């Protein structure tokens, strides 16, 4: 049994530092790198890719709506053609930077509001999937478990994996509890580690209101910018290894 741990990184901007990228990198296996639309800038992207190379991490693009002020968390009334173009642009930028370091991309994971919209709208998901496939048909699309994203990826015929979230509470219909609601983010490292192990071994998680929700992920998202994030990631990885679960990029079979 094996699992990938993915983490959003490269979200610093100019002189402003966000997240604990380098201290978290030794404990994850894949990273999702901001491409400049919701966070980061060319210089910070280059720095992030160099660090990823140092730790031998699988790299993914983390495209979003063009929303630096709102950190990509505000929904935009973009057409499917605009979404396609924005995603192609962002993947292309990151792919070019990776090429300068002799690296390739493993995957693409939408960010923020774009991810949330794709979860619920297979046409939005398909626009993202088309962009991914048009750039490189070997890339994977990271999709929320059992969501419309999966349908969009399947309709386009792009490679995909499903993900679950380590520290986020779920509703009974399998969506994430909005961050503004109490209990949306679980902060106890051991509780989160137990939860991740249960998801991997049992294929389900208990929702915030006590229902069993089926989840069969190939990758688990951990967050590197929350209080105590690195301790939580360490606890998850330690627990998985102790239980004999191999932690490695999902593209490594």
């Amino acid at each position: 049994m094996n699992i990938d741990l993915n983490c959003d990184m490269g979200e610093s901007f100019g002189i402003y530092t966000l997240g604990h990228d380098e201290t978290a990198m030794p404990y994850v296996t894949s990273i999702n790198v901001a491409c400049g639309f919701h966070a980061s800038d060319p210089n910070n992207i280059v720095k992030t890719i160099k660090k990823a190379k140092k730790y031998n991490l699988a790299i993914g693009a983390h495209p979003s709506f063009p929303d630096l002020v709102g950190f990509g968390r505000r929904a935009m009334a973009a057409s499917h053609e605009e979404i396609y173009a924005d995603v192609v642009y962002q993947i292309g930028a990151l792919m070019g930077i990776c090429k300068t370091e002799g690296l390739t991309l493993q995957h693409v994971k939408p960010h923020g509001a774009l991810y949330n919209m794709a979860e619920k709208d297979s046409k939005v998901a398909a626009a993202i999937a088309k962009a991914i496939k048009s750039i490189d048909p070997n890339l994977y699309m990271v999709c929320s478990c059992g969501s419309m994203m999966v349908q969009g990826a399947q309709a386009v015929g792009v490679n995909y994996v499903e993900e679950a979230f380590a520290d986020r509470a779920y509703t009974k219909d399998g969506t994430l509890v909005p961050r503004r609601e109490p209990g949306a983010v679980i902060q106890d490292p051991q509780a989160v580690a137990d939860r991740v192990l249960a998801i991997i071994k049992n294929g389900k998680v208990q929702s915030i209101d006590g229902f069993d929700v089926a989840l069969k992920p190939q990758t688990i998202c951990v967050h590197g910018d929350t209080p105590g994030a690195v301790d939580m990631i360490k606890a998850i990885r330690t627990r998985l290894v102790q239980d004999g679960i191999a932690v490695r990029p999902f593209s490594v079979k």
Side-chain angles (χ1 to χ4, degrees):
M1 186 176 289
N2 59 277
I3 196 70
D4 173 62
L5 294 180
N6 79 77
C7 189
D8 302 346
M9 292 193 179
E11 292 178 327
S12 297
F13 186 83
I15 64 171
Y16 303 101
T17 300
L18 181 65
H20 307 280
D21 287 8
E22 192 155 12
T23 52
M25 281 183 174
Y27 306 103
V28 300
T29 47
S30 297
I31 61 170
N32 318 304
V33 182
C35 300
F37 272 34
H38 76 279
S40 202
D41 56 70
N43 189 41
N44 273 305
I45 296 172
V46 169
K47 289 178 180 178
T48 302
I49 295 304
K50 286 180 180 292
K51 291 174 185 175
K53 183 177 183 179
K54 174 183 173 182
Y55 290 101
N56 196 31
L57 299 174
I59 300 168
H62 202 31
S64 76
F65 285 124
D67 179 25
L68 275 173
V69 174
F71 199 67
R73 289 178 176 165
R74 301 181 294 188
M76 299 181 70
S79 68
H80 297 151
E81 291 77 16
E82 288 172 317
I83 290 171
Y84 169 88
D86 283 350
V87 173
V88 165
Y89 182 92
Q90 292 173 82
I91 297 171
L94 187 63
M95 187 172 280
I97 291 173
C98 285
K99 188 175 181 180
T100 67
E101 291 296 322
L103 302 175
T104 58
L105 287 184
Q106 171 186 250
H107 67 277
V108 177
K109 175 182 170 179
H111 166 82
L114 183 59
Y115 186 102
N116 294 339
M117 287 177 65
E119 268 191 301
K120 301 174 180 64
D121 187 333
S122 62
K123 291 183 179 179
V124 170
I128 297 167
K130 286 176 185 177
I132 295 168
K133 191 174 182 180
S134 69
I135 288 277
D136 183 352
N138 294 312
L139 289 171
Y140 288 82
M141 179 173 171
V142 175
C143 303
S144 178
C145 277
S147 70
M148 292 290 185
M149 293 175 81
V150 174
Q151 293 184 26
Q154 290 174 337
V156 172
V158 72
N159 299 320
Y160 71 92
V161 292
E162 297 183 56
E163 77 167 340
F165 289 79
D167 62 349
R168 294 293 304 277
Y170 281 84
T171 67
K172 63 182 179 182
D173 61 358
T175 60
L176 298 179
V177 175
R179 285 180 177 270
R180 64 181 178 272
E181 294 186 15
V185 180
I186 304 162
Q187 297 180 334
D188 179 79
Q190 293 307 320
V192 172
D194 290 344
R195 190 168 179 267
V196 170
L197 186 64
I199 290 172
I200 296 168
K201 287 197 164 185
N202 303 327
K204 61 184 179 181
V205 68
Q206 190 172 74
S207 71
I208 197 167
D209 42 4
F211 291 86
D212 283 340
V213 178
L215 299 173
K216 296 189 182 299
Q218 292 80 52
T219 183
I220 300 287
C221 178
V222 294
H223 290 112
D225 60 350
T226 53
V230 177
D231 288 339
M232 183 173 291
I233 297 169
K234 285 182 184 178
I236 293 168
R237 178 134 190 178
T238 299
R239 187 65 191 278
L240 296 179
V241 172
Q242 286 174 344
D243 275 74
I245 295 172
V247 183
R248 64 190 186 213
F250 54 75
S251 59
V252 177
K253 305 302 182 184

